[in-house]
Each structure stands twice: as C-alpha cells, then as structure tokens.
C-alpha cells in the first residue's frame, strides 16, 4: 500500500531556530513553542506548529520543486474556495530567500485520513466516507478547461497535451522499453503491451472536456470527519500535482486498490454521479487506462532503493491488465 512506500527524496528537517525564522515574517510578534513533523506524504514536508498564546495549531509546509508548485496551490485554493473543502493559506513565501524551498503557512483542518477509515472503520463508516469523497470529487471536476495540459501562471494551461489512443500507446511503449519494462520482466511486459493495444482506441471515444484534476486524489490526501449523519470531507490536501485532464485519472487513482464492485466503489461512484457528474459507459476501463499511465510512470521512476514502492506498483500494473474488461 502507498502509505508504506519509501520516499525517493528525503523530507526536509528543520530545527526550532529555523522554524521560528520562517514563521517570523507571518507572525513577527509570535514564537513557535511546539512543532512536529506530520503526514505520510511522499513529496512535501509538513510541520504542525503552535504559536505562543494560541491553542489553535497551524501547518508549516515546505514544497519540493520551484515556486511554480506553491503558486499553483495558492491559485487553486482561490479557485475552489467555498466549493471544495481545503486548508486556507495564511502566508506564503516563494522567494527562497530564507530557505532553499518555497514555503507556506496554512490553517489546520481537523479530521482523520480517509485511508485510516478504510483500514479500520466499519462497513457503514467506509461506505459513508467513500460517498463523501465521491461528492467532493464531483465538485472538483465541475471546474473545466478548454485545453488539457499542465498549468502555468494563473492556472493558464501550457504544454497542451491530449491522451488519445496513439499518445497512450507511445507513452506506454516508452515506459516498457525503460525501467518499467525492466522491473516488470519480459512476460508481464508483453501482457501489458497486448492489453494496451487492445484497449487504447477507447481513449479516442472520450470527448469530454478536461477538468481540474487533483492527480493524487486518494485516502492519504483526504481528511474526513464523522458527524451525526455520517462522514464529511473536511479538507482535500496536497494539490501540487494538479493539472487539466480527464476525470478518469482521478477516479482510477481513487479506486486503485479496490476490487471491482466493492461497496466502497459503489458508494463512491453513486455519490459522484448524484452530485451531477456524468460518466462514460466505459468509465471503469477508461479509469484503468488513465491510472495505468500513472502506474507505469511511477514504476519507471522507481529504483532498487525503493523496493516496497516498486513491488506495489508491479502488483497493481499486473492486476490492471489481468482483471480489466470492456463493457
């Protein structure tokens, strides 16, 4: 499971002096009296901090990559504010003048990870939380764009991309002739390629407009709270990989570990559609194809130093090609 994956890049480690130096521009008359590193994220580094005189914690977030990553998260927060539950930004510094990374301070959101509910909750808890996540994803996907591709400044799409059947096969072929194929081995490389050739034309039939894609929408990035009528999402976290793309990539990632027809899948998809989102009749296979791109890309960028990550990805890829069917 992803929560046990090794990090390719080790998290940033800060001491009390460094954290206070970062917080000072935002709160010049305050001092950090307690901090701890939090989260199971594999990319950015997050600290829960308490300021003197306050009982409400905050989050200090250090970003991987350049200022564009932080700017994008800030722009997305403005875009979805009021329609998607997020942690609001309190302060951000992308100058890299105090530390060699962009950083921000965000509000603290109460809740537990959806992943923890999936692992330890009752069936009623799991299906309620799945429905809450499905409804919120529909709200995220309600934001559409003219073109698909990665975001530049002010969420303007640059590097225009389109995952049609031809491009899909070209990318999978590239991965299978690189580390992805090496880690899979000859037998499963052949099976993956055969599966992709059989199904790739379905991507040409998907003519829906591109949507705001979280790109890492899963139980490790969704906080939920239990209330009298069931679970609700308190925050969707970690938007650094978001871009304009097909909705099926988020759905595929969300259902990556689920068996077809599971109660979790059923309630998630039902709530997604009830919130106004439409799905292609072949949504399952389209989601699998989109997720296969992500899985092959991640395996391609794995190393022998990340055996848990690599083995999990291999298992997921093999399961995808052996169990997916066209309606």
């Amino acid at each position: 499971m992803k929560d046990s994956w090794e990090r390719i890049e080790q998290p940033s480690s800060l001491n009390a002096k460094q954290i206070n130096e970062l917080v000072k521009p935002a709160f010049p008359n305050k001092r950090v009296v307690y901090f701890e590193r939090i989260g199971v994220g594999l990319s950015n580094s997050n600290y829960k901090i308490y300021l003197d005189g306050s009982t409400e914690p905050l989050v200090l977030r250090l970003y991987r990559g350049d200022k564009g990553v932080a700017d994008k998260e800030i722009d997305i927060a403005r875009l979805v504010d009021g329609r998607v539950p997020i942690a609001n930004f309190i302060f951000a510094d992308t100058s890299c003048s105090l530390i060699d990374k962009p950083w921000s301070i965000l509000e603290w959101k109460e809740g537990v990870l959806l992943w923890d509910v999936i692992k330890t909750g009752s069936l009623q808890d799991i299906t309620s939380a799945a429905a809450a996540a499905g409804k919120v994803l529909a709200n995220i996907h309600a934001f559409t764009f003219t073109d698909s591709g990665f975001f530049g400044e002010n969420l303007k799409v640059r590097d225009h991309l389109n995952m049609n059947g031809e491009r899909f096969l070209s990318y999978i072929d590239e991965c299978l002739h690189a580390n992805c194929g090496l880690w899979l081995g000859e037998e499963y490389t052949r099976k993956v390629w055969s599966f992709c050739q059989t199904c790739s034309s379905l991507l040409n039939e998907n003519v829906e407009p591109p949507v705001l894609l979280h790109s890492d929408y899963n139980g490790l990035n969704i906080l939920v709270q239990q209330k009298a009528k069931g679970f609700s999402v308190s925050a969707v976290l970690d938007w650094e990989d978001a871009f304009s793309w097909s909705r099926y990539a988020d759905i595929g990632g969300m259902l990556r570990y689920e068996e077809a027809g599971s109660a979790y899948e059923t309630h998630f998809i039902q709530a997604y559609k009830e919130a106004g989102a439409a799905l292609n009749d072949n949504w399952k296979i389209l989601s699998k194809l989109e997720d296969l791109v992500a899985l092959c890309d991640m395996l391609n960028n794995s190393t022998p130093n990340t055996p848990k990550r690599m083995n999990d990805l291999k298992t997921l890829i093999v399961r995808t090609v052996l169990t997916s069917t066209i309606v």
Side-chain angles (χ1 to χ4, degrees):
M1 298 296 185
K2 191 174 181 179
D3 58 342
S4 67
W5 286 9
E6 307 89 349
R7 288 183 66 127
I8 293 179
E9 180 180 333
Q10 291 306 305
S12 299
S13 180
L14 300 179
N15 57 38
K17 180 180 179 181
Q18 291 171 312
I19 287 179
N20 270 289
E21 287 177 350
L22 290 179
V23 171
K24 186 180 295 185
F27 300 96
N29 299 317
K30 297 287 186 178
R31 183 174 61 89
V32 176
V33 294
Y34 176 81
F35 68 91
E36 62 176 313
R37 188 169 183 275
I38 57 170
V40 293
L42 300 174
S43 301
N44 302 307
S45 299
N46 299 296
Y47 288 85
K48 183 179 184 180
I49 62 174
Y50 284 87
L51 303 178
D52 58 356
S54 176
T55 59
E56 296 294 326
L58 299 170
V59 175
L60 172 64
R61 181 170 173 84
L62 280 68
Y63 295 87
R64 62 168 187 175
D66 59 23
K67 69 182 293 292
V69 176
D71 288 339
K72 179 173 67 174
E73 280 207 340
I74 294 168
D75 289 339
I76 289 174
R78 293 194 186 105
L79 174 69
V80 306
D81 185 35
R83 296 173 62 181
V84 177
I86 56 170
N88 292 314
F89 282 81
I90 296 172
F91 188 87
D93 184 344
T94 61
S95 68
C96 299
S97 59
L98 295 177
I99 193 172
D100 63 351
K101 297 177 182 294
W103 58 275
S104 64
I105 298 175
L106 299 96
E107 67 174 332
W108 175 263
K109 302 294 287 190
E110 294 294 339
V112 298
L113 289 175
L114 172 60
W115 186 246
D116 292 330
V117 177
I118 295 171
K119 288 194 299 182
T120 63
S122 66
L123 179 60
Q124 182 177 356
D125 290 341
I126 292 170
T127 55
S128 175
K135 178 181 179 181
V136 168
L137 186 61
N139 292 340
I140 294 172
H141 290 171
F143 295 92
T144 60
F145 298 87
T146 303
D147 298 308
S148 58
F150 299 111
F151 293 130
E153 292 185 3
N154 301 314
L155 301 183
K156 300 298 183 183
V157 175
R158 59 173 176 79
D159 301 331
H160 303 284
L161 302 171
N162 179 29
M163 189 58 75
N164 56 25
E166 181 181 358
R167 187 179 185 89
F168 170 77
L169 286 177
S170 176
Y171 186 75
I172 295 296
D173 183 54
E174 180 183 328
C175 289
L176 294 179
H177 282 87
N179 284 336
C180 178
L182 177 64
W183 305 141
L184 283 173
E186 291 185 11
E187 177 185 357
Y188 287 116
T189 293
R190 288 195 300 270
K191 290 182 177 181
V192 169
W193 183 239
S194 176
F195 169 80
C196 291
Q197 287 181 305
T198 300
C199 300
S200 62
S201 62
L202 290 173
L203 292 167
N204 296 328
E205 301 172 9
N206 180 27
V207 294
E208 300 172 20
V211 301
L212 174 61
L213 191 84
H214 182 278
S215 194
D216 200 17
Y217 195 77
N218 59 64
L220 297 176
N221 286 326
I222 302 170
L223 286 177
V224 295
Q225 286 183 304
Q226 189 170 23
K227 298 184 178 181
K229 295 184 178 181
F231 279 86
S232 64
V233 175
S234 58
V236 179
L237 310 173
D238 294 354
W239 294 79
E240 69 267 18
D241 293 323
F243 63 114
S244 171
W245 202 248
S246 165
R247 70 182 66 241
Y248 299 106
D250 270 343
I251 294 173
M254 187 64 170
L255 300 177
R256 183 176 290 167
Y257 291 96
E258 286 299 311
E259 296 294 335
S262 70
Y264 180 92
E265 176 192 286
T266 300
H267 285 76
F268 171 77
I269 292 297
Q270 181 180 341
Y272 181 79
K273 293 192 293 186
E274 288 177 350
L279 288 175
N280 186 290
D281 289 342
N282 274 318
W283 69 266
K284 285 191 177 183
I285 190 66
L286 289 171
S287 300
K288 291 292 186 182
L289 292 174
E290 289 285 354
D291 196 45
L292 189 60
V293 173
L295 294 173
C296 288
D297 179 69
M298 288 187 286
L299 184 57
N300 210 37
N301 289 287
S302 298
T303 71
N305 295 326
T306 58
K308 292 179 181 178
R309 167 190 165 111
M310 190 163 61
N311 289 333
D312 193 29
L313 289 168
K314 287 167 57 178
T315 299
L316 290 166
I317 291 170
V318 170
R319 190 177 76 166
T320 297
V321 302
L322 293 182
T323 63
S324 300
T325 57
I326 302 175
V327 177

